[in-house]
Amino acid sequence: MVRSEKTRQLIIEKTARIFNEKGYTGTYLSDLTDATGLTKGSIYGNFKDKNEVAIEAFRYNYKFQSEPILRKIELEDNAVSKLLVFLEHYKLAYKPIFENGGCAILNTAVDADNGNESLRTEVVKAIRGWHKRVADILTAGIEQKEIKPVNVEQWTYRMLALIEGSILLAKTLKDHTILLNNIDMLMCDVEQLAQE
């Protein structure tokens, strides 16, 4: 069967939330056919296997969550503002993220950690990309004397870990204030990094 980009995109869009909510193992072919209205043959005519659909669904979910942040960051002209707008995004956008099943990185990382190497590779690439963006902002801020010198690697991983951990706790415990309070704390940390 000839692959159709339009059909592939429909499959990705219709199944992305399912994979994010149920994970790779918990998502069945029947979930894919029910969500898309397509047959098994149509799905496998456009994708090699369920794993390929899951990888594309992860990429779609990650893009859904990261593109709005990147657009906001691009509008800022200094490192402190970029970091603050990055963090502020989570205070404003956590509801759509939670409604879509939670953080795509976190969900897929847990799901793929012990057995699905291709999905794990995608998650690692996303985490490293996220880390690089934040580290580049910090490095540029230090070079421009907008930010006090810090251990960029350590600070960046601490920030990412606190965001991911807060999303996990807030979603699991159904208490968004956990996330909001930790984001506020990180925003205070960023403000203290600012050169006077």
Side-chain angles (χ1 to χ4, degrees), residues 19-109:
F19 277 108
N20 202 40
E21 290 176 343
K22 297 175 94 177
Y24 176 78
T25 306
T27 300
Y28 299 100
L29 183 58
S30 60
D31 294 317
L32 306 183
T33 57
D34 289 348
T36 62
L38 299 172
T39 64
K40 174 183 173 181
S42 292
I43 291 171
Y44 287 147
N46 286 280
F47 292 92
K48 180 175 70 176
D49 54 23
K50 184 177 96 169
N51 201 55
E52 186 181 5
V53 182
I55 289 169
E56 292 301 326
F58 168 74
R59 289 175 180 159
Y60 179 86
N61 285 323
Y62 180 64
K63 187 176 177 182
F64 167 79
Q65 292 177 1
S66 62
E67 278 192 348
I69 300 170
L70 298 176
R71 283 193 299 269
K72 291 175 185 177
I73 289 171
E74 290 302 315
L75 298 174
E76 301 301 324
D77 60 358
N78 68 68
V80 172
S81 297
K82 287 177 187 287
L83 292 171
L84 289 174
V85 84
F86 179 88
L87 293 168
E88 183 72 24
H89 173 79
Y90 286 97
K91 291 177 74 172
L92 303 173
Y94 75 89
K95 287 180 185 176
I97 291 171
F98 285 14
E99 289 166 2
N100 193 49
C103 176
I105 290 176
L106 179 64
N107 292 347
T108 308

Side-chain angles (χ1 to χ4, degrees), residues 51-184:
N51 201 55
E52 186 181 5
V53 182
I55 289 169
E56 292 301 326
F58 168 74
R59 289 175 180 159
Y60 179 86
N61 285 323
Y62 180 64
K63 187 176 177 182
F64 167 79
Q65 292 177 1
S66 62
E67 278 192 348
I69 300 170
L70 298 176
R71 283 193 299 269
K72 291 175 185 177
I73 289 171
E74 290 302 315
L75 298 174
E76 301 301 324
D77 60 358
N78 68 68
V80 172
S81 297
K82 287 177 187 287
L83 292 171
L84 289 174
V85 84
F86 179 88
L87 293 168
E88 183 72 24
H89 173 79
Y90 286 97
K91 291 177 74 172
L92 303 173
Y94 75 89
K95 287 180 185 176
I97 291 171
F98 285 14
E99 289 166 2
N100 193 49
C103 176
I105 290 176
L106 179 64
N107 292 347
T108 308
V110 170
D111 192 40
D113 188 43
N114 293 313
N116 190 323
E117 194 56 37
S118 55
L119 262 178
R120 184 183 173 285
T121 298
E122 287 298 315
V123 173
V124 168
K125 187 166 51 172
I127 292 170
R128 288 195 172 134
W130 189 12
H131 178 275
K132 182 178 181 337
R133 283 184 196 99
V134 175
D136 287 351
I137 292 169
L138 282 168
T139 301
I142 292 167
E143 289 171 358
Q144 298 295 320
K145 303 209 183 307
E146 298 167 351
I147 292 178
K148 298 172 188 169
V150 294
N151 181 320
V152 171
E153 290 290 303
Q154 183 181 43
W155 205 96
T156 302
Y157 279 125
R158 188 181 87 201
M159 180 176 154
L160 301 184
L162 193 52
I163 291 169
E164 286 296 332
S166 298
I167 290 171
L168 169 72
L169 292 173
K171 187 165 184 317
T172 303
L173 299 174
K174 298 186 185 317
D175 182 359
H176 66 276
T177 62
I178 296 167
L179 173 63
L180 299 180
N181 290 338
N182 283 327
I183 294 297
D184 284 342

